[in-house]
Amino acid sequence: MAKIIYTHTDEAPLLATYSLLPIVSAYAAQAGVDVETRDISLAGRIIAQFPERLTPAQAQADALAELGELATRPEANIIKLPNISASVPQLKAAIAELQEQGYDLPDYPESAETDEDREIRARYDRVKGSAVNPVLREGNSDRRAPASVKAYARKHPHSMGDWSADSKTRVATMGQDDFRSNEQSVVIPADDTLRIEHVAADGTVTVLKDSLTVLEGEIVDGTFLSVASLQAFLTDALAAAKAEGVLFSVHLKATMMKVSDPIIFGHVVRAYFKPVFDTYGDQLAAAGLSPNDGLGGILDGLGELDNGAEIQAAFEAALAEGPRLAMVNSDKGITNLHVPSDVIVDASMPAMIRIGGHMWGPDGEEADTLAVIPDSSYAGVYQTVIDDCKANGAYDPATMGSVPNVGLMAKAAEEYGSHDKTFEAPADGVIRVVNAAGEAVVEHEVRTGDIWRACQTKDASVRDWVKLAVNRARATGVPAIFWLDEDRAHDANIIAKVRTYLQDHDTTGLTIEIMDPAAATAYSVERIRRGEDTISVTGNVLRDYNTDLFPILEVGTSAKMLSIVPLMNGGGLFETGAGGSAPKHVQQLVQENYLRWDSLGEFFAIAASFDHLAEVEGNARAKVLGETLDRATGTFLEQDRSPGRRLGTIDNRGSHFYLALYWAQELAGQSDDAELAAAFAPLAEALVKNEDAVVAELLAVQGTPADIGGYFRPDETKVSAVMRPSATFNEALASL
């Protein structure tokens, strides 16, 4: 039987799965397709790390490792929903919830002093940050707005804030002594084994990472950010925000960059509250209250200290004295500095640009903002868009073009910070990458506390990326621009490979160029304003940024993107958009039984999964399912069946009902398979007949709290009951 693997992930996408998956499974079964699930949620990944501590009923297999192996095989067909890319505070919260549910899990060790603590921390470190994506992405990324979504956005343009030519909003970035400027890069001449080591000023050698296997032609990079320069930069940025009367905000990636960016975030918290840390820093550290975890965690822990009220008053005084902070939730007093994973650059910067260069201030009003992006690698992308909006006004979703993306990410390409190759320098000295012959191939002089990191990009990944870019350019007739900066060490090596591998393809009549990121941005937004499309061909981190930036401006959200990963060995990975996992949506469901999550990205991924299955296995019915689902999704958009934003309108569950209705109608009316049409005709008739009853049952549950039995690991029985409250719909679906 043909098989699709549907992943259980986290938060809103997980809750939506309990409503959508029964529909998909029932429809797929009619085509001889079995839909299986695998739990790769944060909670599931934690549980899989400690089998020896759990009962047989509690233990579960390492589904992520299983899917990682499957992704290397040609039969792979995986639908991957958004995960929590866990910061340390989220990881701790998930552990605490599982402990309350009876799981015998150890606490996360803040400092690993013993061998046991080091082992525990190593296990937890395997699941935090962007731990899932590098394992599954055995191919490069093809992400774009489906034609139906783009057409809908043009017909029903979303709101855009007004831009003023005299807006004070701008990006502040280091430009020197940062990751971009300190980068070194080398192409490995032959298969080798590397190690990363720190050599202290007194000659003491500490191995930071041993037995790092690399292949011929692989690119290995190392770089560091000077903490002294960071601190000086932050001091200047805080003074500038105060003098200019704008909000201060910092924009990092404390999820993908799970080691480096939380440390940087901690330095920002220290810089803003310098008087507090000068006076109470040692006491806070002794109490385990780290600025790396954010202001919120420190404030929550002050109640345990004898002089907690005194320290809280000092924080409040610093807030009153410093520049106004941008807010995550001004009503609840949650600032930009409360939680490192609350303000993620790839989502927060596009949202700011979309509303006219504003963020929300402590008074609940919008205001111009100094957006602090310490590392200068891609800060220029956002500054270029801001400059364009100041000069030309807001973009018009009704007429603007599109910027699809081809992203280099296969085999963990360029996953800076998502792995075990990022370190805080333990002392003054040198951090270097040494080959098996004992030769240093990358070497940096560092000071105590400097943040050093390395990454790898395999040659085969680059070759496949170039092929995908050429194929997309040929399929669309749209210019493909490689966003690469010849003045950056890593990009210079990538450029050499791109120029070599482009020669393997017939590019006659195609526009394929290489531009640095700021120039590529300017080129793309100029075309956007003319209604023209431009393919951005980027590295992995910039892929993450661009697949939020442009979709949020074009179609209002990145969750509605078609995201296909053609796996290098012939399988398919179908991701459901870049919309995050929406914790606020979970909170709303628990408070008032209303789930705002839009599953449109899932609809596109499911259709593409069926199409892939039809192509590789010759399953004609899978092809019918994919084609009819595409048409049903078009009707879904035209009829505006996405979830509303307030009680009394259909939410995620109602949107799933309407998709099921339109899909059943398409299947009943198609002419390619009479037997399949006959199977769905009664269901289509029943859903149309009972539409009012189903909608009434779905609306009736709104407005009261919902018990799902857990945030990170909900109770399956409870959450299924919450997400499938219409007996009429459930009975009709069961009849299929």
Side-chain angles (χ1 to χ4, degrees):
M1 192 173 192
K3 182 188 299 184
I4 292 171
I5 305 295
Y6 200 95
T7 55
H8 274 287
T9 57
D10 299 290
E11 296 179 326
L14 172 62
L15 300 179
T17 294
Y18 282 90
S19 170
L20 178 60
L21 191 57
I23 300 168
V24 176
S25 297
Y27 284 46
Q30 302 302 310
V33 177
D34 187 23
V35 182
E36 297 183 0
T37 60
R38 296 292 187 278
D39 180 6
I40 58 171
S41 66
L42 174 58
R45 301 193 320 265
I46 290 171
I47 291 168
Q49 293 300 313
F50 297 96
E52 76 282 1
R53 300 178 67 113
L54 305 178
T55 68
Q58 292 173 327
Q60 64 182 61
D62 189 341
L64 180 58
E66 177 195 347
L67 293 188
E69 193 278 327
L70 176 62
T72 65
R73 305 205 306 263
E75 67 268 27
N77 190 316
I78 304 167
I79 297 175
K80 192 269 174 187
L81 279 69
N83 277 93
I84 292 175
S85 292
S87 62
V88 171
Q90 290 172 307
L91 179 63
K92 290 177 179 176
I95 294 167
E97 178 178 301
L98 289 167
Q99 290 170 338
E100 290 174 2
Q101 293 176 352
Y103 290 84
D104 179 24
L105 296 169
D107 292 334
Y108 179 80
E110 282 291 348
S111 58
E113 304 296 339
T114 66
D115 288 344
E116 181 183 10
D117 282 350
R118 281 189 282 272
E119 168 64 18
I120 291 170
R121 184 159 179 164
R123 294 196 201 187
Y124 278 133
D125 285 350
R126 287 198 285 268
V127 304
K128 75 181 183 185
S130 187
V132 171
N133 294 336
V135 175
L136 299 184
R137 288 171 171 169
E138 285 287 323
N140 292 304
S141 170
D142 171 13
R143 186 170 279 179
R144 57 192 186 270
S148 56
V149 169
K150 190 66 175 173
Y152 180 83
R154 284 180 165 155
K155 189 173 181 180
H156 308 279
H158 52 271
S159 63
M160 299 285 277
D162 293 329
W163 270 89
S164 167
D166 59 1
S167 169
K168 296 179 181 178
T169 291
R170 64 181 177 89
V171 173
T173 192
M174 292 176 67
Q176 58 186 7
D177 287 334
D178 60 359
F179 292 126
R180 180 190 179 279
S181 59
N182 288 327
E183 189 171 62
Q184 297 177 19
S185 181
V186 62
V187 180
I188 302 299
D191 293 2
D192 207 340
T193 301
L194 310 179
R195 70 178 182 274
I196 303 171
E197 61 186 26
H198 175 266
V199 184
D202 64 2
T204 302
V205 177
T206 303
V207 176
L208 303 175
K209 175 71 178 178
D210 202 5
S211 303
L212 189 63
T213 302
V214 290
L215 304 177
E216 178 184 350
E218 186 166 348
I219 297 172
V220 173
D221 308 319
T223 187
F224 78 99
L225 183 143
S226 163
V227 165
S229 296
L230 172 65
Q231 291 167 342
F233 162 74
L234 292 172
T235 298
D236 291 344
L238 287 162
K242 178 88 169 178
E244 295 168 23
V246 297
L247 300 177
F248 177 91
S249 64
V250 64
H251 303 261
L252 296 165
K253 186 73 171 174
T255 48
M256 176 187 278
M257 313 301 188
K258 67 181 182 181
V259 180
S260 60
D261 283 25
I263 297 171
I264 297 172
F265 187 85
H267 282 290
V268 180
V269 175
R270 283 182 178 275
Y272 190 97
F273 297 101
K274 187 176 185 301
V276 183
F277 283 94
D278 285 347
T279 304
Y280 303 104
D282 291 344
Q283 184 184 356
L284 293 172
L289 300 178
S290 170
N292 294 15
D293 294 343
L295 175 62
I298 294 174
L299 296 178
D300 288 345
L302 292 181
E304 302 297 319
L305 304 181
D306 292 339
N307 60 339
E310 174 186 325
I311 300 175
Q312 171 126 12
F315 275 111
E316 291 171 356
L319 276 170
E321 177 62 24
R324 291 183 304 145
L325 274 178
M327 304 297 285
V328 171
N329 188 323
S330 54
D331 291 339
K332 296 183 178 180
I334 300 174
T335 73
N336 175 272
L337 300 182
H338 261 64
V339 182
S341 55
D342 268 355
V343 185
I344 301 301
V345 59
D346 45 331
S348 58
M349 287 300 295
M352 183 186 79
I353 292 167
R354 178 182 163 180
I355 64 171
H358 296 154
M359 293 187 74
W360 299 97
D363 57 0
E365 300 295 326
E366 296 179 25
D368 290 347
T369 304
L370 181 66
V372 174
I373 304 175
D375 179 43
S376 60
S377 295
Y378 304 120
V381 170
Y382 297 113
Q383 185 62 58
T384 300
V385 176
I386 289 169
D387 290 342
D388 180 70
C389 289
K390 287 181 182 179
N392 301 298
Y395 301 105
D396 183 357
T399 60
M400 67 188 294
S402 187
V403 184
N405 180 262
V406 173
L408 173 61
M409 66 180 193
K411 298 184 178 297
E414 294 187 351
E415 281 283 355
Y416 259 133
S418 294
H419 43 56
D420 53 358
K421 295 190 285 291
T422 301
F423 310 95
E424 270 187 295
D428 292 359
V430 170
I431 294 182
R432 63 191 186 187
V433 181
V434 181
N435 63 19
E439 302 162 333
V441 296
V442 171
E443 186 171 23
H444 294 97
E445 185 176 338
V446 295
R447 296 285 194 177
T448 303
D450 286 351
I451 306 164
W452 190 96
R453 64 192 194 187
C455 77
Q456 303 164 253
T457 307
K458 290 182 169 50
D459 181 73
S461 303
V462 179
R463 187 189 293 266
D464 182 77
W465 176 57
V466 171
K467 179 181 75 173
L468 182 58
V470 172
N471 289 345
R472 290 305 303 156
R474 183 178 295 115
T476 60
V478 168
I481 308 301
F482 284 85
W483 293 41
L484 297 168
D485 183 355
E486 63 183 2
D487 293 329
R488 180 180 165 189
H490 166 82
D491 284 12
N493 281 328
I494 293 284
I495 287 171
K497 288 181 178 290
V498 167
R499 287 176 173 153
T500 297
Y501 296 142
L502 280 174
Q503 297 174 28
D504 296 340
H505 305 278
D506 178 9
T507 59
T508 304
L510 304 181
T511 298
I512 299 178
E513 298 184 36
I514 298 171
M515 300 181 186
D516 71 75
T521 305
Y523 177 86
S524 301
V525 296
E526 180 183 351
R527 290 176 57 83
I528 274 178
R529 291 191 182 276
R530 297 199 300 264
E532 298 171 343
D533 300 344
T534 313
I535 300 171
S536 68
V537 189
T538 71
N540 197 6
V541 176
L542 193 47
R543 170 202 61 82
D544 223 37
Y545 293 3
N546 279 10
T547 56
D548 271 311
L549 173 60
F550 292 106
I552 286 172
L553 299 177
E554 293 171 26
V555 300
T557 176
S558 54
K560 297 181 179 180
M561 300 296 284
L562 176 61
S563 185
I564 298 174
V565 182
L567 299 175
M568 292 172 65
N569 290 333
L573 174 67
F574 307 94
E575 299 184 308
T576 65
S581 46
K584 290 182 180 178
H585 292 187
V586 183
Q587 294 162 11
Q588 185 178 13
L589 177 80
V590 171
Q591 291 168 1
E592 53 189 27
N593 206 341
Y594 189 91
L595 185 64
R596 218 171 73 205
W597 177 259
D598 192 341
S599 294
L600 195 59
E602 285 95 292
F603 304 164
F604 293 128
I606 293 163
S609 172
F610 281 129
D611 291 343
H612 178 78
L613 199 64
E615 180 179 346
V616 299
E617 297 198 11
N619 186 322
R621 284 192 167 175
K623 182 174 179 61
V624 172
L625 283 176
E627 291 174 344
T628 52
L629 178 52
D630 270 336
R631 294 198 295 270
T633 303
T635 304
F636 176 95
L637 284 167
E638 190 58 37
Q639 296 298 318
D640 196 18
R641 298 301 189 184
S642 289
R645 289 184 170 269
R646 64 186 188 280
L647 295 181
T649 60
I650 63 163
D651 71 348
N652 177 265
R653 297 163 289 193
S655 71
H656 292 165
F657 162 71
Y658 278 106
L659 179 80
L661 188 159
Y662 300 143
W663 194 5
Q665 288 178 319
E666 290 288 349
L667 282 161
Q670 53 83 28
S671 58
D672 292 333
D673 188 323
E675 185 178 341
L676 199 60
F680 278 92
L683 177 62
E685 182 180 351
L687 295 181
V688 171
K689 177 183 177 182
N690 293 301
E691 175 183 356
D692 290 344
V694 171
V695 171
E697 289 170 353
L698 295 174
L699 294 179
V701 300
Q702 296 180 11
T704 56
D707 178 11
I708 58 174
Y711 183 91
F712 295 96
R713 191 167 186 80
D715 179 273
E716 289 198 2
T717 301
K718 290 181 177 180
V719 75
S720 182
V722 168
M723 293 305 299
R724 303 189 69 198
S726 170
T728 304
F729 181 31
N730 297 344
E731 290 169 7
L733 191 61
S735 71
L736 185 60

